Amino acid sequence: MTPLPDFLLEPVIRAALMEDLSPMGDVTTRAVVPAATRYEARVNAREEGVVSGMQVATLAFRLVDPTLVVTTHVADGHPCGKGQCLMTISGSAASILMGERVALNFAGRMTGIASLTASFVAQTRGTKTRITCTRKTTPGLRLIEKTAVAHGGGSNHRFGLSDAILIKDNHIAAAGGIRAVLEAAKAARSHMMRVELEVDSLDQLDQALSIGGADVILLDNMDTPTLREAVALTHSRVVLEASGNMRLERIAEVAATGVDYISSGALTHSARTFDLGLDF
């Protein structure tokens, strides 16, 4: 995928550097490492996975010191092997040490998400189903985490509450039923805004299809036989998204039902941080 513009990522990285370095900078490095010391450091993968966060790590080092020479050896979205060098950083040893933890925190988190996403995507091989994330992201890090999902081969769901209409069970209860919410959404949306409706039974699905107005229907917490029935009932009239309890070990059987998308919050809220190390 095409990298995001650096200026979109910089505010998040600056905030992380401020958290780590303010108010007095790196007092340890200032005390024990001579200012003129120069070094070349390597960011190494300590396990196999799919890389993400190299752009972010590069920005972290360069925000600390624009004179650092950062070279990426494995690009975001590409696989890596255990022991492989992902990046080298050359220049002031003090600057490298100041940027190290923030760079590795981001890259480890993002590579963990990308690697988990790739595992989910692998389970859909041979089907039309695509894996997508949710809004269950770390506050303040949604852009970072959704980027990592894309690096792992997944799709991005809506970014926030403002870029799509997603009507869930609480909306239906508050508004007075499926017909009421679909008619209200149809009246309110622009021609560029898609509508997704969550249903938790085949009866609700049938009702939604009869009323019309939804571009996407989210099949919530349905077992596999019910998902299969939902696909047959829909006849490709709308996009179907399966969600709820979508564990890695279940993805292959759900993809085989013929749904268009499987969304899983686990991609971001349960990804393990990838083991990376910076070595002098």
Side-chain angles (χ1 to χ4, degrees), residues 18-230:
M18 287 290 292
E19 179 181 59
D20 211 29
L21 291 167
S22 58
M24 295 296 292
D26 183 352
V27 295
T28 305
T29 297
R30 193 161 60 244
V32 304
V33 177
T37 303
R38 299 181 66 79
Y39 229 99
E40 180 176 277
R42 297 160 55 93
V43 175
N44 295 317
R46 294 175 176 167
E47 55 183 314
E48 295 182 353
V50 174
V51 174
S52 183
M54 294 299 99
Q55 179 187 8
V56 173
T58 297
L59 284 170
F61 285 117
R62 287 181 176 160
L63 284 171
V64 169
D65 183 350
T67 70
L68 289 175
V69 178
V70 183
T71 304
T72 298
H73 301 291
V74 181
D76 289 332
H78 289 260
C80 67
K82 183 177 181 179
Q84 189 168 3
C85 178
L86 308 183
M87 172 182 287
T88 53
I89 311 100
S90 303
S92 163
S95 296
I96 294 171
L97 289 166
M98 280 190 281
E100 171 186 3
R101 179 41 49 202
V102 168
L104 291 186
N105 281 352
F106 278 121
R109 174 70 177 149
M110 293 180 72
T111 300
I113 291 171
S115 299
L116 181 59
T117 301
S119 297
F120 273 66
V121 170
Q123 296 297 309
T124 68
R125 196 165 290 128
T127 73
K128 68 174 184 177
T129 305
R130 300 187 68 181
I131 298 296
T132 186
C133 54
T134 70
R135 286 167 48 239
K136 295 178 181 178
T137 54
T138 307
L141 297 183
R142 183 167 293 170
L143 176 60
I144 298 290
E145 294 179 349
K146 282 182 173 285
T147 298
V149 168
H151 287 154
S155 299
N156 283 169
H157 211 281
R158 61 177 179 162
F159 189 84
L161 293 175
S162 66
D163 53 324
I165 296 173
L166 201 173
I167 304 165
K168 306 195 83 173
D169 54 352
N170 288 337
H171 296 108
I172 294 170
I178 288 177
R179 180 174 294 278
V181 293
L182 285 175
E183 290 179 350
K186 186 176 181 179
R189 71 170 176 174
S190 73
H191 69 291
M192 297 293 288
M193 183 73 70
R194 286 166 68 84
V195 174
E196 180 170 14
L197 176 75
E198 176 186 282
V199 301
D200 57 19
S201 69
L202 293 177
D203 286 343
Q204 284 190 326
L205 172 61
D206 188 52
Q207 184 181 355
L209 292 172
S210 298
I211 296 167
D215 304 294
V216 184
I217 292 182
L218 188 156
L219 307 170
D220 187 44
N221 280 302
M222 293 184 179
D223 60 28
T224 303
T226 305
L227 289 172
R228 197 175 294 114
E229 288 185 60

